[in-house]
Amino acid sequence: ATPSKGFCGSNHIEAVSLSMACGASAFLMIAYLLVSLKKNPRGSEEMNKLSDLIKQGAKAFLRTEYKFLTVFVLFVFAVLVTIFTIQPFSDSKADGIRIGG
C-alpha cells in the first residue's frame, strides 16, 4: 500500500520535518532580534522614565486582570462541577469533575 499524501503532495514525515525546520528558523530569528535589540541603547532619560511608568502600569493592570479572571474561572468550574455531578451524562458521579476540568 502506498502511504497517504499530506500537505502539497508530501508524505507525513516530510510535512513534520518542514514544520520543525520552520519552528527552528523562527527561534533563530528570535535570537537574532533579541541580540540586536540588546546591543542598542534604551533611549534618553525621559524615554526611560516613560518606559518604566508604562511598564509599572501594565504590570498593575495584568495583576488586577488575573485576579478577576481567576475568580471567574473558579466560579465557572464550580458551576460545571455542580451541574454535572447532580445531572451526570453517565452513571458516574465523576462526570462533574471531568466536565469542569
Side-chain angles (χ1 to χ4, degrees):
T2 46
S4 63
K5 293 293 182 178
F7 179 71
C8 291
S10 63
N11 64 28
H12 296 292
I13 298 292
E14 290 170 344
V16 170
S17 298
L18 176 64
S19 64
M20 290 177 70
C22 288
S25 65
F27 277 116
L28 290 174
M29 186 66 184
I30 290 169
Y32 167 75
L33 290 174
L34 186 63
V35 167
S36 66
L37 278 174
K38 292 290 183 180
K39 282 184 194 176
N40 297 324
R42 270 185 79 195
S44 67
E45 183 71 28
E46 188 177 351
M47 284 176 55
N48 289 337
K49 286 180 184 177
L50 185 58
S51 171
D52 291 339
L53 288 173
I54 291 171
K55 187 176 181 179
Q56 286 176 348
K59 283 185 178 183
F61 168 77
L62 286 174
R63 197 174 305 115
T64 304
E65 188 75 16
Y66 284 136
K67 285 179 188 176
F68 281 103
L69 185 61
T70 301
V71 170
F72 174 75
V73 168
L74 290 175
F75 174 75
V76 170
F77 173 77
V79 168
L80 288 174
V81 167
T82 303
I83 288 172
F84 289 106
T85 301
I86 293 171
Q87 198 74 15
F89 284 138
S90 64
D91 294 332
S92 173
K93 290 287 187 185
D95 278 349
I97 296 296
R98 283 196 295 262
I99 300 286

